[in-house]
Amino acid sequence: MTLPLDNIVYPGSEQYSHAELRAPGTVPVDLGEAPLARAIDTAYIRFAVPDLEKQRAFLEDFGMRVAQDTGSALYMRGYGSAPYIYVVQQADRPRFLGAGFVVAQKQDLDRVAAATGARIEDVDGPGGGRRVRLSDPDGFAVDLVWGRQAVERLPTRRERLPVNLPQDKPRVNTPQRPPLEASAVERFGHYVLMVSDFDASWQWYRKHLGVLPSDVQCTGSGRPVLAFCRLDLGARPADHHSVVLAQGLHATYMHSAYETLDLDAIGQGQQYLKQRGWRHFWGIGRHILGSQLFDYWLDPHGFEVEHYADGDVFDNTRPTQYHLMDRGGLWAWGDDVPAGMVAKPTLAEIARLLFGGATWRQKMLEIKQAMDRAPRPWLK
Ligand SMILES: [Fe+2]
């Protein structure tokens, strides 16, 4: 079943014609056959960088803690129960390597190993477990992990700070003073990939992780080009997205996001990161699709990372919603989106646009038209 636009309103959304708003959903994404495996949680994300010490300093200020330091790799944990959520290893140049997902059962690993020929091996780092290592259509690693040992949570300010509303003021004789400290990261929430062939990537992630499309963005012709994919936990609610696939001119890592407590944790975390001299990128604001409160940073090697809180969770009864792709729909309120959010094409990519196949060219032109629309009436 496809549904039309889900009543999204922001400054600039009134520019769309009725016909444009009707196009999304005319081409549904294909759920295909039964998936080989079902992912039930994120496990970790992996990077390689030249300067491990600098990366460690940033990650600690960002709100993670060292779980293990081997000298050539750092295993970072959050304050939640995962043994680690972020791995960074020493290398000559910065690279995104891939991510891991926890699968529901050991049999998921067996099925995927039998179908792909990949072998089942031990997971590196603390927590143990077994995994199968796969490559997605663009060569990004995707590990399916099972049997990791949970660890004790670390203490944080876990209580929500009571909020006084005009007609409801529960906080009496108690000031609102959240501590100035790193925004304690609870867990690795999601990551966003630009992919070279959206349809191929969507089908791959559906088949190997069993993901569901929460929200899908389409070009003006109704062509799906971006999917917010959530894990299928059945009747249990899952994050609005754990992985996002977006058609681009080339495959690349866009950002990864880490859940923290609330708006005050994000705000004081921002103060802390600024005080420590790190590079801010975008925020604080609230997203539309997924609803997260967000704040984006650049790590010392230029990778975008996001603090978020208060994101949507959907169970498996929530149908897929289809929307027009644009930049304006990225945020409900907050700082204007930075120009660097959309990458400029390289000469090689322009050549491919000019001399590539007609279908490819048409798709990329439709995306360009969508992303060229001013995200707010006062921005270009
Ligand atoms: Fe995000």
Side-chain angles (χ1 to χ4, degrees):
M1 180 173 62
T2 63
L3 290 179
L5 196 71
D6 185 19
N7 189 30
I8 291 180
V9 177
Y10 52 86
S13 61
E14 68 283 355
Q15 68 188 304
Y16 298 122
S17 69
H18 205 60
E20 281 178 305
L21 294 177
R22 276 205 309 262
T26 54
V27 185
V29 291
D30 181 11
L31 289 183
E33 297 168 8
L36 283 175
R38 194 162 61 86
I40 56 169
D41 199 359
T42 55
Y44 49 74
I45 190 161
R46 306 180 80 93
F47 295 87
V49 303
D51 191 337
L52 272 188
E53 272 316 299
K54 211 166 181 185
Q55 194 73 1
R56 172 193 185 134
F58 172 81
L59 292 171
E60 289 185 331
D61 290 344
F62 190 74
M64 297 185 202
R65 292 289 167 264
V66 176
Q68 189 181 351
D69 179 355
T70 68
S72 60
L74 285 171
Y75 295 83
M76 306 296 295
R77 62 168 292 181
Y79 285 70
S81 58
Y84 62 90
I85 59 172
Y86 185 111
V87 188
V88 57
Q89 63 194 58
Q90 182 89 49
D92 292 341
R93 61 184 179 89
R95 269 198 311 146
F96 164 69
L97 299 177
F101 292 85
V102 178
V103 292
Q105 308 172 43
K106 168 75 167 56
Q107 288 84 339
D108 286 303
L109 297 190
D110 298 333
R111 262 196 314 278
V112 172
T116 62
R119 65 187 181 88
I120 300 175
E121 61 172 42
D122 287 339
V123 180
D124 58 323
R130 304 279 283 167
R131 73 177 165 203
V132 172
R133 311 200 75 181
L134 305 174
S135 281
D136 81 0
D138 285 311
F140 296 127
V142 176
D143 299 352
L144 303 187
V145 177
W146 180 82
R148 291 214 298 177
Q149 294 298 311
V151 292
E152 284 287 313
R153 303 179 50 83
L154 298 175
T156 62
R157 173 182 71 81
R158 289 179 61 187
E159 317 78 43
R160 181 168 41 163
L161 295 170
V163 173
N164 283 347
L165 299 174
Q167 296 299 318
D168 178 19
K169 300 194 192 302
R171 211 179 67 252
V172 179
N173 297 334
T174 309
Q176 184 75 286
R177 287 178 193 144
L180 174 61
E181 61 186 10
S183 181
V185 163
E186 171 77 14
R187 55 191 285 273
F188 164 42
H190 65 259
Y191 65 123
V192 179
L193 296 176
M194 194 171 271
V195 299
S196 63
D197 181 337
F198 172 80
D199 294 330
S201 289
W202 158 254
Q203 284 162 24
W204 192 93
Y205 281 83
R206 169 69 188 159
K207 179 176 177 180
H208 294 91
L209 300 178
V211 291
L212 299 170
S214 296
D215 284 291
V216 173
Q217 290 188 315
C218 307
T219 64
S221 72
R223 188 198 304 267
V225 287
L226 185 151
F228 291 89
C229 307
R230 76 178 180 279
L231 306 182
D232 181 359
L233 305 189
R236 282 195 296 138
D239 285 352
H240 173 270
H241 54 277
S242 294
V243 56
V244 179
L245 308 169
Q247 175 72 59
L249 285 166
H250 65 281
T252 188
Y253 164 91
M254 300 291 287
H255 75 261
S256 51
Y258 305 86
E259 186 170 11
T260 183
L261 184 63
D262 59 11
L263 182 58
D264 282 294
I266 293 177
Q268 288 289 47
Q270 185 191 78
Q271 293 294 298
Y272 186 75
L273 284 160
K274 283 185 172 173
Q275 179 188 26
R276 303 280 289 173
W278 301 113
R279 285 184 292 168
H280 188 244
F281 187 61
W282 184 32
I284 296 170
R286 190 184 278 277
H287 283 305
I288 293 180
L289 301 177
S291 303
Q292 299 94 339
L293 296 160
F294 64 79
D295 196 29
Y296 287 71
W297 291 83
L298 292 173
D299 78 13
H301 296 89
F303 294 113
E304 260 177 58
V305 288
E306 174 189 4
H307 276 142
Y308 78 90
D310 193 27
D312 294 336
V313 290
F314 292 170
D315 63 24
N316 66 351
T317 64
R318 166 88 180 185
T320 302
Q321 306 274 307
Y322 291 81
H323 316 274
L324 271 183
M325 174 186 242
D326 64 2
R327 282 182 289 156
L330 281 171
W331 79 111
W333 58 260
D335 287 353
D336 293 332
V337 67
M341 195 54 127
V342 179
K344 295 267 182 294
T346 63
L347 281 177
E349 288 164 351
I350 291 170
R352 192 177 167 203
L353 267 181
L354 290 175
F355 304 112
T359 310
W360 162 262
R361 192 161 55 236
Q362 179 61 28
K363 177 156 75 169
M364 297 316 297
L365 283 175
E366 286 179 15
I367 292 174
K368 182 173 187 313
Q369 279 167 1
M371 298 307 277
D372 278 352
R373 290 185 180 117
R376 293 289 190 262
W378 55 90
L379 292 173
K380 288 299 158 216

